[in-house]
Amino acid sequence: MAEFPYPLYFEARYLTDKEKVNVSRYFQKTRASGGGDCGGIEKVGDNVYKVCFKEQEVQERVLQRKTHTISFRGGTVHLTVTQSSSPQTQDQPSTSQSQTTTKLSTKGFEKTFRTDIFLLYYMRDNPKAYKKLQKQLSAIGCTIQLDFEEEEAVVRGNIEKGPGGAFDGTAENWELQVHRTFINVIEAYTCHHVLEPKQVKKVLQDPFFVSDDVRVYSESGYAVVVGETYVVKDKIAVLEKSITIRKEQPVVEKRFKMIEEEFNREMSASCPEVKISRASNIIILEGPEDKVQLGEAKLNALIKKIQEKRVNLSNDLLDFMATSSVIYKYQTRFEQSLRSPVSLEVGSELVLSSLSSDALREAEMAVLRDLNESSVTLQGAAAVAPDLDTLKEILNRAKSEENRGELRVNFSFLPGSSGTSSSRVKLVGYTEHVNKLKELIYSFQANQVSTQEVISLQYPELVDCFDKILGILGMKQTDVTLKASSFPNPCVLLSGPRSRVQETKQALGSTLASMTMDKLVLDGPGALQYFQGAGKESKELVETSCQVIIREQQVVSSPTVATKQQRLSSITPRPSTPRKQFTTVGQNEMKINLEIKIGSLEKEQVNVLVVPTHGRQLSSTNIGKSLLKKGGDTVKSKFDSLAANSAYLPGDVLQVNASASLGCSKIFCIECLAWDGVGGKSEQDLAKGLKRCLDLCAEKGFSSVAIPVIGPGLLLKYPLSEAVQILKESIRQFALSDQCGNLTTIHIVIKPGYPDSEESYHEVYKHLSSIMNQRGKALFGSLTSDLDDINLTVGGGVKLQLVFGDITNETTDVVVNTTDFVNFYNEGVCKDILTVAGSVVEAQLKTAKVSRGNVFVTPPGLFPCKAILHVCGEKDASLVETLVPSIIDYCESLGFSSVAIPAICAGAGGLDPAVVAGAILRGIQTATSSGPFYSLTSIRLVLIKINVFLAFKEEATQMFPTSGRKCNRTFFTNSFLLVCLL
């Protein structure tokens, strides 16, 4: 520093800022240190400090004294100054309050002690102390003289007059003895420099600090207290306690409120002398210096313990919080209910502060629960005048009512998506009051705004007989107008209040979808004449009793018609299409019912189990091993005995009596060969064995049989499609034989948990569906499955469907995609959906910034829906449970009527299917229990894995009451239009 160019260095323990100031003041006092103008104390090494002087003369004067004694609150410090910044080495002599020089003469010695001037004053002014020193020196033949000008004490002695030759005639012994005597006396006293102005004034004015043993000396700007060490320390301690200091600590009022209780408790325990007061964003501490500093440290430590949590809210919610009394109400509420106070600050985001992480978490949940931002889409007439103007008046009146006394809710109108005639109402405020206004909007749209909907009819013929259909249904006249039309496609036009239209559409649509049509061809010239004449009454009786409509129709036979009918009868629903139970009637009523069972063959409760064997060993296949495990040694010994006493060639069947542990009477074992190609001997033998098993059931009067899909696997190595084709054809040929005996039930058993289990199910269902009608007659009574759709009723009039299938086949308004927003092409729902939706949707996902628990919305791209909702469950069931209500609320607020949701996190997410099922179904229950829904009518849970579907099925049937009826499809081959309501 150019202003102070002459440095000196000294070693010291760590000096506080306060102690540095005291040292600097000391070196500014000429009488105390020999110093003068100097800068502040700077730390230049671990324990090395520097002080710089303005003039070289002052530097040299301080250096002459070399050792300086400075008194602090914690004790006295001796500083040795040098011109080098190198630390003092271990072999340097230690210093005391005095420096000494020795002079020798032929007869005597003289030793000079450079001593603190104030200690010399004390010896002069305190006869008792001075006489004690003189007495000690006299004992060794010495005298002392105090030199105030030179600030030194001079001790003289004569060797010849020394008592008893005490010095042994050597200068070294004399000097050592004198030094010890002088220092022992001098070091019993302390010179304490008082530098604080308030303390200086107190010392100089209060007679307490002056006594026979203590003297106080005044210098320009400071005072020095001198006396015996222990006495001076006691008086300085009293001084420091008697002088208070004031410390102002800037602290934001809200932050101090969080720590106020704990801070006051700690101060009461350790610093009761300190007075605490407050000003605007300032905490004032007044009291003894050490206690004030301790209090300041405690305050800062508590402030550092404050934790923050930032909550990402929309700008509209933040504005509402800033303009309403929300912040005050929450802080008051949290102060009373939470273990630790929570502060709320609103800026670009909501910042929660507290000493407790648990309190922060509870506060965040309360805010997210209590405050709400929602949008409701206005469509059709509600989005334009005059209905829009009417709605604004209704909302303004309701808002005024809700906001009496304070702001609780607000709303604004926003334009809808470009290219549409819709608009949106945005609602912001307390959830309770937002929901009230939402209810008003929904009610207005439902009951005061007219709308139109269309139901497509499956068959053109339904248009002409639509009035008769309504008569069969018993539909009463309502405020909804129904009009059947053939243009542009067969449909029913519904018009009226929106809610009534939606209710009617849902009820009528599901009923119309459950109706079927077929034709019965009656050859011969008298058929039509009969039903128009004598048979008319009988036909009408059938219509009335069976709830069908029969219409005569002339049929012209042609190869084209026959081909078309054959093609229609073989259509198979795609996997995610609702599985309908097939029921058939015909000229000869059939009794065989086909059931696809998901489980293990050995657990089936039927008359007969069909089991494959290979190499004449029952344990050669996994099916056989499982059967033996349950059936025990009894089954094995019976099989082995029969196999040993018969040829049992490929295609042959052994009839084995079952053991009591199995739920059947007989086991039919088919000897099989490994697959040798399409049409090969292995396929012929398998077909032969299956035919024999079915024929035996008929011959022996059995009513039920369970058959696995024989062939796929590591042993026999059949392609799945070939194995199912052989099974289907065997069942078909058996049914066509009309020699079925008492057999009424055939179970096709598929074991879950294998990589091809889902594919097996779809393949079996497709093949069996294709043979329900054959050769102009119905072959089977029904086709059902353990994986048929489950139809349930939930709150708000919403229908919940559990569907076993592929979500990419869905045509709902909204489809939900589950993703981590990073890995888009790992196997799972996300990859499947993006493959259909295309690159535009994928590009939007790659740039998305989605907070935890939020829903990200994109257009559908090429996916056949209106919007795709993307969510991330983060492998957290509780998060999944909170996402589902958000999905449902979004669909309802934007006017979507249906949504397809996958099993979020049950696939690639790795969560247990039962856990996911519980979370999603609880989320649906929570979301639909709040009130009626005016837009959303259908929630489809689309589950692609068998084990996931079964887990959801078990959870759902326990949580919700079942409703609705399974739809039976009735088949006729006839020349009459036959519409059946089942």
Side-chain angles (χ1 to χ4, degrees):
M1 189 180 298
E3 186 179 357
F4 303 99
Y6 301 104
L8 289 177
Y9 301 88
F10 60 87
E11 276 190 280
R13 59 165 175 75
Y14 172 77
L15 297 178
T16 65
D17 290 342
K18 183 71 173 177
E19 290 171 338
K20 289 179 185 179
V21 172
N22 289 341
V23 172
S24 179
R25 287 177 178 172
Y26 170 80
F27 282 121
Q28 290 172 0
K29 309 297 182 182
T30 303
R31 291 296 297 270
S33 64
D37 287 345
C38 67
I41 305 300
E42 299 179 42
K43 188 173 184 180
V44 297
D46 288 341
N47 292 312
V48 179
Y49 293 84
K50 177 177 72 172
V51 58
C52 296
F53 296 92
K54 192 171 185 178
E55 298 176 0
Q56 185 175 7
E57 180 183 349
V58 175
Q59 178 203 40
E60 292 174 350
R61 200 163 57 231
V62 171
L63 189 60
Q64 285 177 359
R65 295 198 179 188
K66 196 169 184 178
T67 300
H68 298 264
T69 301
I70 305 174
S71 299
F72 293 135
R73 177 167 50 86
T76 300
V77 176
H78 303 290
L79 304 179
T80 301
V81 295
T82 67
Q83 288 183 291
S84 170
S85 60
S86 300
Q88 181 177 336
T89 58
Q90 293 295 325
D91 58 354
Q92 288 179 298
S94 62
T95 60
S96 65
Q97 296 187 60
S98 301
Q99 290 179 271
T100 63
T101 58
T102 305
K103 295 180 182 180
L104 301 176
S105 66
T106 55
K107 294 184 179 181
F109 295 88
E110 181 179 296
K111 188 173 181 66
T112 301
F113 293 90
R114 184 167 293 277
T115 308
D116 192 311
I117 186 63
F118 297 105
L119 187 57
L120 297 179
Y121 290 158
Y122 179 79
M123 290 296 174
R124 178 195 65 191
D125 299 334
N126 191 331
K128 179 181 177 181
Y130 189 54
K131 286 181 180 179
K132 179 180 179 182
L133 177 59
Q134 287 179 320
K135 183 177 180 180
Q136 294 285 335
L137 291 172
S138 177
I140 58 174
C142 297
T143 62
I144 185 170
Q145 179 182 350
L146 304 179
D147 188 341
F148 298 100
E149 290 297 326
E150 297 297 330
E151 299 183 12
E152 59 188 21
V154 180
V155 178
R156 298 183 178 90
N158 191 313
I159 296 177
E160 295 177 355
K161 296 182 178 180
F167 305 123
D168 296 329
T170 66
E172 290 82 1
N173 289 336
W174 181 86
E175 181 181 4
L176 179 62
Q177 186 72 14
V178 169
H179 184 85
R180 286 177 178 171
T181 302
F182 185 84
I183 293 303
N184 286 341
V185 174
I186 293 302
E187 288 191 343
Y189 301 93
T190 294
C191 297
H192 185 90
H193 293 69
V194 181
L195 304 176
E196 286 289 339
K198 287 185 178 180
Q199 293 183 350
V200 171
K201 184 177 180 181
K202 179 75 173 176
V203 167
L204 296 177
Q205 293 181 354
D206 192 340
F208 166 79
F209 295 99
V210 179
S211 65
D212 292 341
D213 297 325
V214 178
R215 296 289 187 270
V216 177
Y217 300 97
S218 175
E219 282 294 329
S220 177
Y222 69 99
V224 181
V225 180
V226 187
E228 290 187 80
T229 300
Y230 73 93
V231 178
V232 170
K233 283 186 176 181
D234 289 344
K235 290 188 178 291
I236 295 304
V238 174
L239 172 66
E240 289 178 345
K241 289 183 179 180
S242 65
I243 302 298
T244 61
I245 65 169
R246 173 188 172 98
K247 188 76 174 180
E248 295 184 356
Q249 179 74 13
V251 180
V252 176
E253 185 73 20
K254 291 181 179 179
R255 293 175 72 83
F256 180 71
K257 198 167 185 64
M258 288 184 285
I259 62 172
E260 182 176 11
E261 182 178 346
E262 186 171 349
F263 177 65
N264 288 339
R265 184 170 58 251
E266 290 190 13
M267 291 297 289
S268 297
S270 58
C271 307
E273 308 93 333
V274 177
K275 177 184 176 183
I276 304 171
S277 57
R278 292 158 67 174
S280 178
N281 291 328
I282 292 177
I283 302 302
I284 304 168
L285 305 176
E286 294 181 279
E289 181 179 9
D290 58 335
K291 296 298 184 180
V292 168
Q293 289 178 344
L294 179 59
E296 181 184 17
K298 289 182 178 294
L299 180 60
N300 289 329
L302 286 174
I303 290 174
K304 288 180 180 179
K305 290 170 63 176
I306 295 176
Q307 304 176 54
E308 286 188 353
K309 189 173 188 65
R310 298 179 181 275
V311 184
N312 187 18
L313 300 177
S314 69
N315 290 333
D316 291 318
L317 269 178
L318 293 173
D319 290 343
F320 174 79
M321 296 185 75
T323 55
S324 67
S325 59
V326 169
I327 301 297
Y328 171 76
K329 291 174 69 175
Y330 271 130
Q331 288 192 162
T332 303
R333 170 181 160 188
F334 293 157
E335 188 174 346
Q336 295 171 351
S337 63
L338 299 182
R339 292 182 293 276
S340 179
V342 177
S343 168
L344 297 87
E345 295 181 57
V346 173
S348 60
E349 54 190 347
L350 174 64
V351 181
L352 305 176
S353 304
S354 177
L355 292 173
S356 166
S357 58
D358 290 339
L360 284 178
R361 187 162 47 253
E362 291 179 36
E364 179 189 23
M365 292 176 61
V367 171
L368 295 177
R369 180 179 62 248
D370 296 347
L371 300 182
N372 184 275
E373 177 189 14
S374 292
S375 293
V376 181
T377 299
L378 305 178
Q379 295 178 325
V384 296
D387 287 339
L388 181 60
D389 296 333
T390 303
L391 177 60
K392 289 181 179 179
E393 293 177 8
I394 293 173
L395 288 178
N396 280 322
R397 288 197 298 269
K399 173 184 169 182
S400 298
E401 181 67 25
E402 295 299 320
N403 289 340
R404 280 188 180 180
E406 65 172 295
L407 179 62
R408 298 184 180 90
V409 67
N410 208 346
F411 68 85
S412 59
F413 282 82
L414 303 174
S417 304
S418 59
T420 68
S421 60
S422 64
S423 62
R424 290 189 298 133
V425 183
K426 178 173 284 188
L427 303 163
V428 180
Y430 293 103
T431 300
E432 173 189 355
H433 304 282
V434 166
N435 287 339
K436 285 184 180 180
L437 294 196
K438 279 174 64 177
E439 194 67 31
L440 276 178
I441 299 171
Y442 290 143
S443 177
F444 177 80
Q445 292 197 98
N447 301 313
Q448 299 186 42
V449 180
S450 295
T451 188
Q452 289 187 336
E453 293 284 353
V454 174
I455 301 176
S456 296
L457 296 176
Q458 301 178 65
Y459 313 106
E461 292 84 354
L462 295 180
V463 174
D464 295 334
C465 60
F466 185 68
D467 291 338
K468 285 189 176 182
I469 293 173
L470 294 180
I472 292 176
L473 296 176
M475 292 195 68
K476 299 178 180 179
Q477 184 68 29
T478 67
D479 47 359
V480 177
T481 302
L482 305 174
K483 182 179 179 181
S485 173
S486 299
F487 301 99
N489 298 302
C491 64
V492 179
L493 181 66
L494 299 84
S495 58
R498 186 181 179 197
S499 63
R500 298 290 298 122
V501 167
Q502 292 287 348
E503 291 172 5
T504 304
K505 180 182 179 181
Q506 183 178 351
L508 185 59
S510 60
T511 302
L512 291 175
S514 71
M515 303 177 78
T516 62
M517 184 190 77
D518 216 328
K519 294 183 180 181
L520 174 64
V521 178
L522 299 177
D523 295 328
L528 182 61
Q529 182 179 355
Y530 172 76
F531 282 105
Q532 289 178 343
K536 182 177 181 179
E537 183 177 347
S538 298
K539 183 195 73 171
E540 291 175 350
L541 181 61
V542 171
E543 286 181 313
T544 303
S545 61
C546 297
Q547 286 193 313
V548 299
I549 299 170
I550 303 175
R551 298 182 64 218
E552 301 87 352
Q553 186 178 40
Q554 292 286 357
V555 177
V556 178
S557 299
S558 69
T560 303
V561 172
T563 302
K564 182 176 181 182
Q565 290 174 341
Q566 178 64 29
R567 182 176 64 84
L568 288 173
S569 66
S570 63
I571 290 177
T572 302
R574 62 186 178 181
S576 65
T577 301
R579 300 288 188 188
K580 298 184 186 300
Q581 179 184 4
F582 285 84
T583 302
T584 61
V585 297
Q587 294 161 316
N588 295 313
E589 186 176 355
M590 307 302 297
K591 297 180 180 180
I592 296 180
N593 298 308
L594 302 178
E595 297 182 36
I596 303 175
K597 306 294 287 185
I598 306 299
S600 299
L601 181 74
E602 69 273 10
K603 295 181 180 179
E604 288 293 306
Q605 301 291 317
V606 290
N607 297 139
V608 177
L609 299 181
V610 176
V611 180
T613 63
H614 180 69
R616 301 167 60 90
Q617 296 294 320
L618 184 55
S619 61
S620 59
T621 65
N622 287 333
I623 296 173
K625 290 176 183 176
S626 298
L627 186 75
L628 288 174
K629 185 176 181 181
K630 185 173 178 65
D633 293 338
T634 302
V635 172
K636 185 177 185 306
S637 62
K638 289 179 179 179
F639 173 85
D640 291 343
S641 175
L642 289 171
N645 294 306
S646 64
Y648 195 41
L649 300 174
D652 289 348
V653 175
L654 282 184
Q655 303 175 51
V656 181
N657 292 326
S659 64
S661 58
L662 293 172
C664 64
S665 301
K666 287 282 187 178
I667 302 170
F668 290 172
C669 301
I670 304 175
E671 177 68 7
C672 301
L673 294 175
W675 189 64
D676 56 0
V678 176
K681 188 175 186 306
S682 60
E683 290 191 357
Q684 297 173 21
D685 290 340
L686 177 58
K688 173 187 172 183
L690 288 172
K691 179 179 183 305
R692 178 60 179 156
C693 288
L694 292 171
D695 289 342
L696 284 171
C697 288
E699 292 172 11
K700 297 183 177 297
F702 292 126
S703 62
S704 58
V705 60
I707 309 173
V709 180
I710 299 173
L714 298 177
L715 181 64
L716 301 182
K717 299 180 180 179
Y718 275 63
L720 177 63
S721 60
E722 290 298 318
V724 175
Q725 173 66 25
I726 295 169
L727 175 62
K728 175 201 77 172
E729 191 60 24
S730 299
I731 294 174
R732 186 181 76 88
Q733 292 292 342
F734 175 71
L736 286 171
S737 69
D738 286 336
Q739 303 296 321
C740 302
N742 294 328
L743 188 62
T744 58
T745 303
I746 298 177
H747 288 184
I748 308 302
V749 183
I750 297 173
K751 189 166 185 176
Y754 287 96
D756 63 347
S757 295
E758 286 74 21
E759 183 184 0
S760 296
Y761 172 81
H762 294 312
E763 194 75 16
V764 169
Y765 191 92
K766 179 179 72 175
H767 279 76
L768 294 183
S769 298
S770 69
I771 62 171
M772 295 301 293
N773 281 339
Q774 293 284 296
R775 296 182 184 177
K777 68 174 183 178
L779 292 184
F780 304 97
S782 64
L783 170 60
T784 59
S785 162
D786 288 343
L787 302 182
D788 285 342
D789 293 356
I790 304 298
N791 297 304
L792 305 163
T793 299
V794 296
V798 177
K799 297 299 181 183
L800 173 63
Q801 291 178 288
L802 271 61
V803 179
F804 175 65
D806 187 342
I807 199 167
T808 59
N809 292 323
E810 289 296 303
T811 58
T812 50
D813 287 351
V814 175
V815 168
V816 175
N817 175 34
T818 174
T819 176
D820 61 2
F821 294 99
V822 177
N823 303 299
F824 302 117
Y825 285 97
N826 291 346
E827 292 298 325
V829 169
C830 184
K831 177 183 177 181
D832 295 342
I833 289 178
L834 290 182
T835 300
V836 178
S839 59
V840 174
V841 176
E842 179 186 342
Q844 289 180 289
L845 283 186
K846 287 182 177 178
T847 58
K849 303 295 183 184
V850 184
S851 301
R852 175 183 168 87
N854 285 356
V855 178
F856 183 69
V857 186
T858 67
L862 301 177
F863 205 102
C865 65
K866 297 178 181 178
I868 302 177
L869 307 187
H870 308 269
V871 298
C872 179
E874 297 185 11
K875 303 180 182 180
D876 181 346
S878 61
L879 179 59
V880 172
E881 185 173 340
T882 62
L883 280 170
V884 173
S886 299
I887 293 168
I888 294 173
D889 184 64
Y890 183 90
C891 294
E892 173 67 12
S893 63
L894 291 187
F896 294 123
S897 64
S898 56
V899 59
I901 305 174
I904 302 170
C905 290
L911 291 182
D912 182 83
V915 173
V916 174
I920 290 179
L921 292 170
R922 284 193 300 272
I924 292 173
Q925 188 177 51
T926 300
T928 57
S929 63
S930 58
F933 283 74
Y934 300 100
S935 297
L936 187 64
T937 59
S938 174
I939 301 173
R940 289 169 61 82
L941 301 181
V942 185
L943 314 164
I944 199 169
K945 291 292 185 180
I946 291 175
N947 64 321
V948 176
F949 180 88
L950 296 177
F952 271 77
K953 180 178 178 180
E954 182 178 356
E955 289 284 337
T957 51
Q958 294 176 7
M959 191 174 299
F960 300 107
T962 57
S963 68
R965 297 172 294 180
K966 288 189 176 181
C967 299
N968 297 333
R969 185 172 293 174
T970 305
F971 290 88
F972 282 82
T973 305
N974 48 53
S975 64
F976 295 94
L977 174 62
L978 181 62
V979 182
C980 302
L981 174 65
L982 302 172

